[in-house]
């Protein structure tokens, strides 16, 4: 397995992968949104590949202040092989290199497999914070973040 950073031409591949492997849909799961991310900060997108096939992803977003993890997904037929753990480690290494101090992750409450992965990696829920959202543009009612 190889982990690489995103490329500007990855948008369609990532959308197809997330459709098959990710838990739920994001408000940004469209060609324009993913292409915008790849133009803005392609290094934030970490892609795990086996023989050129995408088997995992994570977005390691850094805004100069906080470190955020999004879209950690592993192909169902490659789960329980350490790919998620390696993607988290790569995201954390990126954050440390950028000067980050703490990583947080958006984890769907209805995804117990993800909870186990994050707990095993040393993350824990923080009940003192709640996520508040406000759509900035009309969004598909099935989208989650």
């Amino acid at each position: 397995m190889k982990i690489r950073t995103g490329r500007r031409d990855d948008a369609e591949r990532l959308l197809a992968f997330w459709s098959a492997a990710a838990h739920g849909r994001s408000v940004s799961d469209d060609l324009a949104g993913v292409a915008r991310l790849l133009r803005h900060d392609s290094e934030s997108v970490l892609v795990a590949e086996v023989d050129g096939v995408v088997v995992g992803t994570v977005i390691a977003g850094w805004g100069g202040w906080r470190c955020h993890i999004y879209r950690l997904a592993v192909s169902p037929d490659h789960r329980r092989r350490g790919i998620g753990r390696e993607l988290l480690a790569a995201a954390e290494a990126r954050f440390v290199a950028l000067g980050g101090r703490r990583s947080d992750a958006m984890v769907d409450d209805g995804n117990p497999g993800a909870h186990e992965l994050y707990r095993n990696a040393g993350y824990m829920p923080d009940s003192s914070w709640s996520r508040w959202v406000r759509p900035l543009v009309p969004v598909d009612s099935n989208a989650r973040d």
Side-chain angles (χ1 to χ4, degrees), residues 8-142:
R8 289 187 180 210
D9 65 348
D10 275 336
E12 289 182 11
R13 282 178 79 187
L14 293 174
L15 284 170
F17 175 76
W18 292 334
S19 177
H23 185 84
R25 289 188 46 225
S26 166
V27 67
S28 301
D29 278 2
D30 58 40
L31 192 56
V34 178
R36 185 177 317 107
L37 168 63
L38 291 166
R39 279 192 312 274
H40 172 73
D41 185 6
S42 61
E43 291 185 6
S44 70
V45 181
L46 303 176
V47 180
E49 293 181 328
V50 172
D51 298 326
V53 175
V54 176
V55 297
T57 64
V58 67
I59 299 173
W62 164 254
W65 179 253
R66 296 224 168 101
C67 308
H68 302 286
I69 294 176
Y70 309 95
R71 273 305 190 217
L72 176 59
V74 176
S75 174
D77 56 337
H78 284 80
R79 291 181 183 159
R80 314 239 16 114
R81 298 183 189 179
I83 294 170
R85 190 172 46 252
E86 288 189 46
L87 283 164
L88 277 177
E92 292 167 356
R94 169 181 157 76
F95 294 149
V96 168
L98 292 169
R101 298 181 182 179
R102 178 182 68 187
S103 176
D104 67 49
M106 290 194 34
V107 186
D108 189 327
D109 288 340
N111 189 349
H115 297 183
E116 178 183 0
L117 171 67
Y118 280 104
R119 271 195 186 87
N120 288 340
Y123 288 73
M124 62 186 146
D126 184 346
S127 62
S128 63
W129 296 92
S130 294
R131 180 171 177 239
W132 293 37
V133 299
R134 178 178 183 263
L136 299 175
V137 297
V139 296
D140 179 340
S141 61
N142 295 319

